[in-house]
PDB file of all heavy atoms in Angstrom:
ATOM      1  N   GLY A1153     -25.016   9.869 -16.068  1.00 97.00           N
ATOM      2  CA  GLY A1153     -24.150   8.834 -16.646  1.00 97.00           C
ATOM      3  C   GLY A1153     -23.979   7.642 -15.721  1.00 97.00           C
ATOM      4  O   GLY A1153     -23.945   6.493 -16.161  1.00 97.00           O
ATOM      5  N   LEU A1154     -23.858   7.898 -14.422  1.00 98.00           N
ATOM      6  CA  LEU A1154     -23.729   6.816 -13.448  1.00 98.00           C
ATOM      7  C   LEU A1154     -25.049   6.069 -13.302  1.00 98.00           C
ATOM      8  O   LEU A1154     -25.062   4.877 -12.995  1.00 98.00           O
ATOM      9  CB  LEU A1154     -23.266   7.368 -12.092  1.00 98.00           C
ATOM     10  CG  LEU A1154     -21.876   8.010 -12.069  1.00 98.00           C
ATOM     11  CD1 LEU A1154     -21.601   8.641 -10.682  1.00 98.00           C
ATOM     12  CD2 LEU A1154     -20.781   6.992 -12.388  1.00 98.00           C
ATOM     13  N   GLY A1155     -26.168   6.795 -13.504  1.00 97.00           N
ATOM     14  CA  GLY A1155     -27.447   6.130 -13.606  1.00 97.00           C
ATOM     15  C   GLY A1155     -28.051   5.616 -12.305  1.00 97.00           C
ATOM     16  O   GLY A1155     -28.813   4.643 -12.305  1.00 97.00           O
ATOM     17  N   ALA A1156     -27.760   6.264 -11.179  1.00 98.00           N
ATOM     18  CA  ALA A1156     -28.399   5.860  -9.932  1.00 98.00           C
ATOM     19  C   ALA A1156     -29.897   6.140  -9.996  1.00 98.00           C
ATOM     20  O   ALA A1156     -30.351   6.990 -10.771  1.00 98.00           O
ATOM     21  CB  ALA A1156     -27.774   6.591  -8.752  1.00 98.00           C
ATOM     22  N   ASP A1157     -30.669   5.447  -9.177  1.00 97.00           N
ATOM     23  CA  ASP A1157     -32.121   5.672  -9.140  1.00 97.00           C
ATOM     24  C   ASP A1157     -32.449   7.027  -8.547  1.00 97.00           C
ATOM     25  O   ASP A1157     -33.392   7.690  -8.974  1.00 97.00           O
ATOM     26  CB  ASP A1157     -32.788   4.566  -8.310  1.00 97.00           C
ATOM     27  CG  ASP A1157     -32.535   3.208  -8.922  1.00 97.00           C
ATOM     28  OD1 ASP A1157     -33.283   2.837  -9.836  1.00 97.00           O
ATOM     29  OD2 ASP A1157     -31.550   2.542  -8.520  1.00 97.00           O
ATOM     30  N   ILE A1158     -31.684   7.416  -7.535  1.00 98.00           N
ATOM     31  CA  ILE A1158     -31.877   8.719  -6.894  1.00 98.00           C
ATOM     32  C   ILE A1158     -30.566   9.472  -6.985  1.00 98.00           C
ATOM     33  O   ILE A1158     -29.504   8.926  -6.652  1.00 98.00           O
ATOM     34  CB  ILE A1158     -32.285   8.560  -5.409  1.00 98.00           C
ATOM     35  CG1 ILE A1158     -33.616   7.790  -5.321  1.00 98.00           C
ATOM     36  CG2 ILE A1158     -32.400   9.923  -4.733  1.00 98.00           C
ATOM     37  CD1 ILE A1158     -34.006   7.403  -3.902  1.00 98.00           C
ATOM     38  N   ILE A1159     -30.629  10.687  -7.490  1.00 98.00           N
ATOM     39  CA  ILE A1159     -29.414  11.504  -7.579  1.00 98.00           C
ATOM     40  C   ILE A1159     -29.655  12.794  -6.802  1.00 98.00           C
ATOM     41  O   ILE A1159     -30.800  13.152  -6.485  1.00 98.00           O
ATOM     42  CB  ILE A1159     -28.984  11.765  -9.046  1.00 98.00           C
ATOM     43  CG1 ILE A1159     -29.951  12.746  -9.733  1.00 98.00           C
ATOM     44  CG2 ILE A1159     -28.909  10.450  -9.824  1.00 98.00           C
ATOM     45  CD1 ILE A1159     -29.498  13.112 -11.159  1.00 98.00           C
ATOM     46  N   MET A1160     -28.599  13.495  -6.464  1.00 98.00           N
ATOM     47  CA  MET A1160     -28.704  14.636  -5.565  1.00 98.00           C
ATOM     48  C   MET A1160     -28.314  15.938  -6.258  1.00 98.00           C
ATOM     49  O   MET A1160     -27.366  15.965  -7.074  1.00 98.00           O
ATOM     50  CB  MET A1160     -27.788  14.420  -4.336  1.00 98.00           C
ATOM     51  CG  MET A1160     -28.068  13.148  -3.547  1.00 98.00           C
ATOM     52  SD  MET A1160     -29.771  12.983  -2.902  1.00 98.00           S
ATOM     53  CE  MET A1160     -29.863  14.409  -1.811  1.00 98.00           C
ATOM     54  N   ALA A1161     -29.009  17.028  -5.898  1.00 98.00           N
ATOM     55  CA  ALA A1161     -28.671  18.352  -6.411  1.00 98.00           C
ATOM     56  C   ALA A1161     -27.256  18.714  -5.966  1.00 98.00           C
ATOM     57  O   ALA A1161     -26.787  18.272  -4.924  1.00 98.00           O
ATOM     58  CB  ALA A1161     -29.670  19.390  -5.895  1.00 98.00           C
ATOM     59  N   PHE A1162     -26.575  19.512  -6.776  1.00 98.00           N
ATOM     60  CA  PHE A1162     -25.228  19.956  -6.441  1.00 98.00           C
ATOM     61  C   PHE A1162     -25.339  21.121  -5.454  1.00 98.00           C
ATOM     62  O   PHE A1162     -25.980  22.130  -5.745  1.00 98.00           O
ATOM     63  CB  PHE A1162     -24.502  20.399  -7.706  1.00 98.00           C
ATOM     64  CG  PHE A1162     -23.029  20.650  -7.491  1.00 98.00           C
ATOM     65  CD1 PHE A1162     -22.169  19.602  -7.205  1.00 98.00           C
ATOM     66  CD2 PHE A1162     -22.508  21.933  -7.592  1.00 98.00           C
ATOM     67  CE1 PHE A1162     -20.807  19.828  -7.019  1.00 98.00           C
ATOM     68  CE2 PHE A1162     -21.148  22.166  -7.401  1.00 98.00           C
ATOM     69  CZ  PHE A1162     -20.294  21.103  -7.112  1.00 98.00           C
ATOM     70  N   ASP A1163     -24.733  20.946  -4.292  1.00 97.00           N
ATOM     71  CA  ASP A1163     -24.871  21.958  -3.244  1.00 97.00           C
ATOM     72  C   ASP A1163     -23.501  22.332  -2.689  1.00 97.00           C
ATOM     73  O   ASP A1163     -22.507  21.678  -2.962  1.00 97.00           O
ATOM     74  CB  ASP A1163     -25.738  21.418  -2.091  1.00 97.00           C
ATOM     75  CG  ASP A1163     -25.091  20.207  -1.411  1.00 97.00           C
ATOM     76  OD1 ASP A1163     -24.343  19.463  -2.085  1.00 97.00           O
ATOM     77  OD2 ASP A1163     -25.340  20.001  -0.211  1.00 97.00           O
ATOM     78  N   GLU A1164     -23.487  23.404  -1.916  1.00 96.00           N
ATOM     79  CA  GLU A1164     -22.292  23.701  -1.136  1.00 96.00           C
ATOM     80  C   GLU A1164     -22.568  23.328   0.300  1.00 96.00           C
ATOM     81  O   GLU A1164     -23.527  23.833   0.912  1.00 96.00           O
ATOM     82  CB  GLU A1164     -21.911  25.191  -1.214  1.00 96.00           C
ATOM     83  CG  GLU A1164     -20.605  25.432  -0.447  1.00 96.00           C
ATOM     84  CD  GLU A1164     -20.160  26.888  -0.418  1.00 96.00           C
ATOM     85  OE1 GLU A1164     -20.945  27.760   0.037  1.00 96.00           O
ATOM     86  OE2 GLU A1164     -19.030  27.153  -0.845  1.00 96.00           O
ATOM     87  N   CYS A1165     -21.728  22.439   0.831  1.00 94.00           N
ATOM     88  CA  CYS A1165     -21.865  22.043   2.224  1.00 94.00           C
ATOM     89  C   CYS A1165     -21.192  23.132   3.054  1.00 94.00           C
ATOM     90  O   CYS A1165     -19.975  23.286   3.009  1.00 94.00           O
ATOM     91  CB  CYS A1165     -21.191  20.692   2.442  1.00 94.00           C
ATOM     92  SG  CYS A1165     -21.313  20.111   4.145  1.00 94.00           S
ATOM     93  N   THR A1166     -21.984  23.903   3.803  1.00 95.00           N
ATOM     94  CA  THR A1166     -21.426  25.016   4.582  1.00 95.00           C
ATOM     95  C   THR A1166     -20.520  24.471   5.688  1.00 95.00           C
ATOM     96  O   THR A1166     -20.901  23.540   6.398  1.00 95.00           O
ATOM     97  CB  THR A1166     -22.556  25.846   5.208  1.00 95.00           C
ATOM     98  OG1 THR A1166     -23.549  26.083   4.194  1.00 95.00           O
ATOM     99  CG2 THR A1166     -22.040  27.172   5.752  1.00 95.00           C
TER     100      THR A1166
END
Side-chain angles (χ1 to χ4, degrees):
Chain A
L1154 296 174
D1157 299 276
I1158 300 171
I1159 71 176
M1160 303 302 298
F1162 190 68
D1163 63 331
E1164 184 182 57
C1165 180
T1166 314

